[in-house]
Amino acid sequence: MSKDRPGAGRDVLLVVDVQNDFCPGGNLAVPRGDEVVPIINRLASAFAHVVLTQDWHPAGHRSFASSHPGRRPYETIQVAYGAQILWPDHCVQGTSGAALHRDLQVAHAQLVLRKGYHCDVDSYSAFFENDRRTHTGLAGYLRERGLGRIFIVGLALDFCVRYSAEDGRREGFDVVVIEDACRGIDLDNSVAATRRALQELEVDRIAAGAIV
Ligand code: VGL
Ligand code: ZN
């Protein structure tokens, strides 16, 4: 990581999908997902610029196993843009499961970016939908605001955090994943695959203690 003090200037904290459905008791609970909340609160206080994302699906979204008769959650199917894992219904627009965790203290967040709202396309990354073509607008927003180094935290490490980090690099940003402020789902060793992918893309992985 560069020697600039994190949190100021061109740095932004990207808080990915810290929503009730990804926390224990939620519909797509990430093991110990709620543990990231106090860590993120501490980190957020060190950042002048904070952006939040929310997974935000219409009811009946194509990523839901319930939309495919005979299919079960966590099976993979082929769709127009390639492989798609089928999930339990989660983060349906306007439901309590889609709400941000109530203990998240990020009142100074400047943007809440919602993704996954197209009925037929999933969106793990905060930058591109899973068709790898449709932009969410985040890269343009960050560029227009002069933000160049993205520190990523949240849920889930091996899906939305991973794909956001990869796409952030591809879009030319410096990217750092604060790993102890993330938790993974870990399907078929996806956490190990995430660490390898991030290493290959020269995404730094640090601990929150390196910042606050
Ligand atoms: C996510 C699976 C489905 C995530 C979102 O936030 O990592 N994972 N939708
Ligand atoms: Zn989703």
Side-chain angles (χ1 to χ4, degrees):
M1 193 171 51
S2 98
K3 283 192 275 304
D4 316 336
R5 182 171 180 75
R10 57 193 283 278
D11 291 347
V12 59
L13 183 69
L14 180 65
V15 180
V16 173
D17 297 1
V18 182
Q19 293 166 267
N20 293 325
D21 269 341
F22 296 123
C23 291
N27 287 341
L28 178 37
V30 179
R32 300 162 47 215
D34 55 333
E35 291 179 4
V36 302
V37 172
I39 305 171
I40 292 172
N41 290 345
R42 198 152 40 81
L43 284 165
S45 66
F47 278 79
H49 307 293
V50 179
V51 168
L52 312 177
T53 69
Q54 257 180 319
D55 209 34
W56 198 251
H57 299 305
H61 193 256
R62 300 294 285 174
S63 75
F64 297 168
S66 63
S67 303
H68 303 268
R71 299 290 182 172
R72 306 284 311 154
Y74 309 106
E75 286 180 17
T76 299
I77 62 164
Q78 291 299 318
V79 297
Y81 51 80
Q84 170 69 50
I85 300 175
L86 297 177
W87 303 104
D89 289 24
H90 65 280
C91 296
V92 173
Q93 295 171 1
T95 62
S96 56
L100 297 168
H101 192 289
R102 58 179 292 166
D103 296 330
L104 198 61
Q105 285 161 14
V106 285
H108 62 302
Q110 296 161 339
L111 173 72
V112 181
L113 180 119
R114 289 171 169 170
K115 60 182 177 62
Y117 45 74
H118 289 127
C119 208
D120 293 324
V121 188
D122 207 359
S123 188
Y124 297 150
S125 162
F127 293 93
F128 286 97
E129 301 191 5
N130 287 13
D131 62 6
R132 318 309 294 148
R133 259 194 268 277
T134 309
H135 293 259
T136 64
L138 182 60
Y141 172 88
L142 296 176
R143 279 191 202 110
E144 287 198 349
R145 295 211 46 227
L147 299 169
R149 186 166 63 159
I150 310 167
F151 290 76
I152 310 185
V153 297
L155 306 171
L157 174 66
D158 40 349
F159 289 92
C160 291
V161 169
R162 171 186 177 173
Y163 289 97
S164 298
E166 292 187 12
D167 286 346
R169 281 297 292 150
R170 290 196 189 107
E171 285 288 306
F173 297 96
D174 294 326
V175 178
V176 180
V177 171
I178 307 175
E179 219 181 319
D180 58 338
C182 303
R183 292 290 182 277
I185 297 174
D186 211 12
L187 290 182
D188 300 327
N189 291 316
S190 51
V191 167
T194 296
R195 293 202 176 102
R196 283 195 300 273
L198 296 183
Q199 201 154 10
E200 271 164 33
L201 284 168
E202 295 177 351
V203 171
D204 281 320
R205 288 161 30 226
I206 65 167
I211 298 179
V212 284

PDB file of all heavy atoms in Angstrom, residues 37-53:
ATOM      1  N   VAL A  37     -19.814  -5.060  11.418  1.00  0.00           N
ATOM      2  CA  VAL A  37     -20.436  -3.746  11.662  1.00  0.00           C
ATOM      3  C   VAL A  37     -19.588  -2.841  12.570  1.00  0.00           C
ATOM      4  O   VAL A  37     -19.271  -1.708  12.184  1.00  0.00           O
ATOM      5  CB  VAL A  37     -21.882  -3.917  12.175  1.00  0.00           C
ATOM      6  CG1 VAL A  37     -22.472  -2.581  12.611  1.00  0.00           C
ATOM      7  CG2 VAL A  37     -22.757  -4.549  11.090  1.00  0.00           C
ATOM      8  N   PRO A  38     -19.187  -3.293  13.759  1.00  0.00           N
ATOM      9  CA  PRO A  38     -18.380  -2.376  14.591  1.00  0.00           C
ATOM     10  C   PRO A  38     -17.033  -2.016  13.961  1.00  0.00           C
ATOM     11  O   PRO A  38     -16.541  -0.895  14.152  1.00  0.00           O
ATOM     12  CB  PRO A  38     -18.197  -3.145  15.907  1.00  0.00           C
ATOM     13  CG  PRO A  38     -18.603  -4.551  15.632  1.00  0.00           C
ATOM     14  CD  PRO A  38     -19.514  -4.537  14.450  1.00  0.00           C
ATOM     15  N   ILE A  39     -16.483  -2.943  13.193  1.00  0.00           N
ATOM     16  CA  ILE A  39     -15.195  -2.655  12.541  1.00  0.00           C
ATOM     17  C   ILE A  39     -15.386  -1.575  11.480  1.00  0.00           C
ATOM     18  O   ILE A  39     -14.600  -0.631  11.361  1.00  0.00           O
ATOM     19  CB  ILE A  39     -14.612  -3.947  11.920  1.00  0.00           C
ATOM     20  CG1 ILE A  39     -14.493  -5.045  12.984  1.00  0.00           C
ATOM     21  CG2 ILE A  39     -13.252  -3.679  11.276  1.00  0.00           C
ATOM     22  CD1 ILE A  39     -14.136  -6.428  12.420  1.00  0.00           C
ATOM     23  N   ILE A  40     -16.459  -1.717  10.704  1.00  0.00           N
ATOM     24  CA  ILE A  40     -16.739  -0.725   9.663  1.00  0.00           C
ATOM     25  C   ILE A  40     -17.053   0.640  10.291  1.00  0.00           C
ATOM     26  O   ILE A  40     -16.622   1.681   9.794  1.00  0.00           O
ATOM     27  CB  ILE A  40     -17.880  -1.211   8.750  1.00  0.00           C
ATOM     28  CG1 ILE A  40     -17.403  -2.414   7.936  1.00  0.00           C
ATOM     29  CG2 ILE A  40     -18.376  -0.094   7.839  1.00  0.00           C
ATOM     30  CD1 ILE A  40     -18.484  -3.117   7.136  1.00  0.00           C
ATOM     31  N   ASN A  41     -17.776   0.647  11.404  1.00  0.00           N
ATOM     32  CA  ASN A  41     -18.076   1.929  12.058  1.00  0.00           C
ATOM     33  C   ASN A  41     -16.788   2.650  12.444  1.00  0.00           C
ATOM     34  O   ASN A  41     -16.652   3.862  12.265  1.00  0.00           O
ATOM     35  CB  ASN A  41     -18.933   1.698  13.306  1.00  0.00           C
ATOM     36  CG  ASN A  41     -20.347   1.260  12.949  1.00  0.00           C
ATOM     37  OD1 ASN A  41     -20.773   1.396  11.802  1.00  0.00           O
ATOM     38  ND2 ASN A  41     -21.062   0.734  13.936  1.00  0.00           N
ATOM     39  N   ARG A  42     -15.849   1.883  12.953  1.00  0.00           N
ATOM     40  CA  ARG A  42     -14.568   2.469  13.371  1.00  0.00           C
ATOM     41  C   ARG A  42     -13.822   3.000  12.144  1.00  0.00           C
ATOM     42  O   ARG A  42     -13.322   4.127  12.146  1.00  0.00           O
ATOM     43  CB  ARG A  42     -13.754   1.380  14.093  1.00  0.00           C
ATOM     44  CG  ARG A  42     -12.636   1.860  14.952  1.00  0.00           C
ATOM     45  CD  ARG A  42     -12.356   0.883  16.109  1.00  0.00           C
ATOM     46  NE  ARG A  42     -12.444  -0.532  15.754  1.00  0.00           N
ATOM     47  CZ  ARG A  42     -11.487  -1.234  15.143  1.00  0.00           C
ATOM     48  NH1 ARG A  42     -10.362  -0.665  14.805  1.00  0.00           N
ATOM     49  NH2 ARG A  42     -11.653  -2.527  14.890  1.00  0.00           N
ATOM     50  N   LEU A  43     -13.772   2.194  11.104  1.00  0.00           N
ATOM     51  CA  LEU A  43     -13.088   2.616   9.878  1.00  0.00           C
ATOM     52  C   LEU A  43     -13.744   3.862   9.274  1.00  0.00           C
ATOM     53  O   LEU A  43     -13.048   4.791   8.834  1.00  0.00           O
ATOM     54  CB  LEU A  43     -13.136   1.492   8.839  1.00  0.00           C
ATOM     55  CG  LEU A  43     -12.188   0.322   9.072  1.00  0.00           C
ATOM     56  CD1 LEU A  43     -12.604  -0.857   8.198  1.00  0.00           C
ATOM     57  CD2 LEU A  43     -10.750   0.743   8.769  1.00  0.00           C
ATOM     58  N   ALA A  44     -15.068   3.861   9.253  1.00  0.00           N
ATOM     59  CA  ALA A  44     -15.788   4.947   8.567  1.00  0.00           C
ATOM     60  C   ALA A  44     -15.453   6.295   9.183  1.00  0.00           C
ATOM     61  O   ALA A  44     -15.388   7.310   8.486  1.00  0.00           O
ATOM     62  CB  ALA A  44     -17.290   4.692   8.608  1.00  0.00           C
ATOM     63  N   SER A  45     -15.204   6.289  10.482  1.00  0.00           N
ATOM     64  CA  SER A  45     -14.909   7.564  11.140  1.00  0.00           C
ATOM     65  C   SER A  45     -13.572   8.130  10.660  1.00  0.00           C
ATOM     66  O   SER A  45     -13.305   9.320  10.827  1.00  0.00           O
ATOM     67  CB  SER A  45     -14.920   7.388  12.655  1.00  0.00           C
ATOM     68  OG  SER A  45     -13.847   6.543  13.043  1.00  0.00           O
ATOM     69  N   ALA A  46     -12.744   7.302  10.045  1.00  0.00           N
ATOM     70  CA  ALA A  46     -11.443   7.767   9.551  1.00  0.00           C
ATOM     71  C   ALA A  46     -11.509   8.217   8.088  1.00  0.00           C
ATOM     72  O   ALA A  46     -10.515   8.710   7.558  1.00  0.00           O
ATOM     73  CB  ALA A  46     -10.407   6.657   9.707  1.00  0.00           C
ATOM     74  N   PHE A  47     -12.656   8.025   7.444  1.00  0.00           N
ATOM     75  CA  PHE A  47     -12.767   8.363   6.018  1.00  0.00           C
ATOM     76  C   PHE A  47     -13.642   9.589   5.795  1.00  0.00           C
ATOM     77  O   PHE A  47     -14.773   9.647   6.276  1.00  0.00           O
ATOM     78  CB  PHE A  47     -13.349   7.176   5.231  1.00  0.00           C
ATOM     79  CG  PHE A  47     -12.323   6.134   4.883  1.00  0.00           C
ATOM     80  CD1 PHE A  47     -11.914   5.217   5.833  1.00  0.00           C
ATOM     81  CD2 PHE A  47     -11.759   6.088   3.620  1.00  0.00           C
ATOM     82  CE1 PHE A  47     -10.953   4.251   5.528  1.00  0.00           C
ATOM     83  CE2 PHE A  47     -10.802   5.137   3.305  1.00  0.00           C
ATOM     84  CZ  PHE A  47     -10.398   4.216   4.263  1.00  0.00           C
ATOM     85  N   ALA A  48     -13.132  10.521   5.017  1.00  0.00           N
ATOM     86  CA  ALA A  48     -13.938  11.689   4.638  1.00  0.00           C
ATOM     87  C   ALA A  48     -14.999  11.295   3.621  1.00  0.00           C
ATOM     88  O   ALA A  48     -16.073  11.896   3.574  1.00  0.00           O
ATOM     89  CB  ALA A  48     -13.035  12.776   4.065  1.00  0.00           C
ATOM     90  N   HIS A  49     -14.693  10.277   2.808  1.00  0.00           N
ATOM     91  CA  HIS A  49     -15.609   9.883   1.729  1.00  0.00           C
ATOM     92  C   HIS A  49     -16.035   8.431   1.913  1.00  0.00           C
ATOM     93  O   HIS A  49     -15.180   7.538   1.970  1.00  0.00           O
ATOM     94  CB  HIS A  49     -14.942  10.059   0.363  1.00  0.00           C
ATOM     95  CG  HIS A  49     -14.384  11.434   0.171  1.00  0.00           C
ATOM     96  ND1 HIS A  49     -15.191  12.541   0.078  1.00  0.00           N
ATOM     97  CD2 HIS A  49     -13.108  11.885   0.094  1.00  0.00           C
ATOM     98  CE1 HIS A  49     -14.443  13.620  -0.057  1.00  0.00           C
ATOM     99  NE2 HIS A  49     -13.176  13.249  -0.045  1.00  0.00           N
ATOM    100  N   VAL A  50     -17.324   8.228   2.033  1.00  0.00           N
ATOM    101  CA  VAL A  50     -17.868   6.885   2.226  1.00  0.00           C
ATOM    102  C   VAL A  50     -19.000   6.677   1.228  1.00  0.00           C
ATOM    103  O   VAL A  50     -19.856   7.548   1.052  1.00  0.00           O
ATOM    104  CB  VAL A  50     -18.399   6.688   3.668  1.00  0.00           C
ATOM    105  CG1 VAL A  50     -18.978   5.289   3.843  1.00  0.00           C
ATOM    106  CG2 VAL A  50     -17.301   6.949   4.703  1.00  0.00           C
ATOM    107  N   VAL A  51     -18.974   5.516   0.560  1.00  0.00           N
ATOM    108  CA  VAL A  51     -20.042   5.119  -0.368  1.00  0.00           C
ATOM    109  C   VAL A  51     -20.569   3.768   0.096  1.00  0.00           C
ATOM    110  O   VAL A  51     -19.795   2.877   0.444  1.00  0.00           O
ATOM    111  CB  VAL A  51     -19.505   5.028  -1.816  1.00  0.00           C
ATOM    112  CG1 VAL A  51     -20.504   4.356  -2.741  1.00  0.00           C
ATOM    113  CG2 VAL A  51     -19.140   6.425  -2.352  1.00  0.00           C
ATOM    114  N   LEU A  52     -21.892   3.612   0.122  1.00  0.00           N
ATOM    115  CA  LEU A  52     -22.518   2.353   0.523  1.00  0.00           C
ATOM    116  C   LEU A  52     -23.133   1.691  -0.697  1.00  0.00           C
ATOM    117  O   LEU A  52     -23.631   2.386  -1.594  1.00  0.00           O
ATOM    118  CB  LEU A  52     -23.649   2.598   1.525  1.00  0.00           C
ATOM    119  CG  LEU A  52     -23.397   3.512   2.717  1.00  0.00           C
ATOM    120  CD1 LEU A  52     -24.682   3.661   3.524  1.00  0.00           C
ATOM    121  CD2 LEU A  52     -22.295   2.943   3.591  1.00  0.00           C
ATOM    122  N   THR A  53     -23.162   0.361  -0.723  1.00  0.00           N
ATOM    123  CA  THR A  53     -23.978  -0.303  -1.736  1.00  0.00           C
ATOM    124  C   THR A  53     -25.066  -1.122  -1.044  1.00  0.00           C
ATOM    125  O   THR A  53     -24.938  -1.525   0.111  1.00  0.00           O
ATOM    126  CB  THR A  53     -23.178  -1.249  -2.659  1.00  0.00           C
ATOM    127  OG1 THR A  53     -22.740  -2.371  -1.911  1.00  0.00           O
ATOM    128  CG2 THR A  53     -21.994  -0.537  -3.291  1.00  0.00           C
TER     129      THR A  53
END
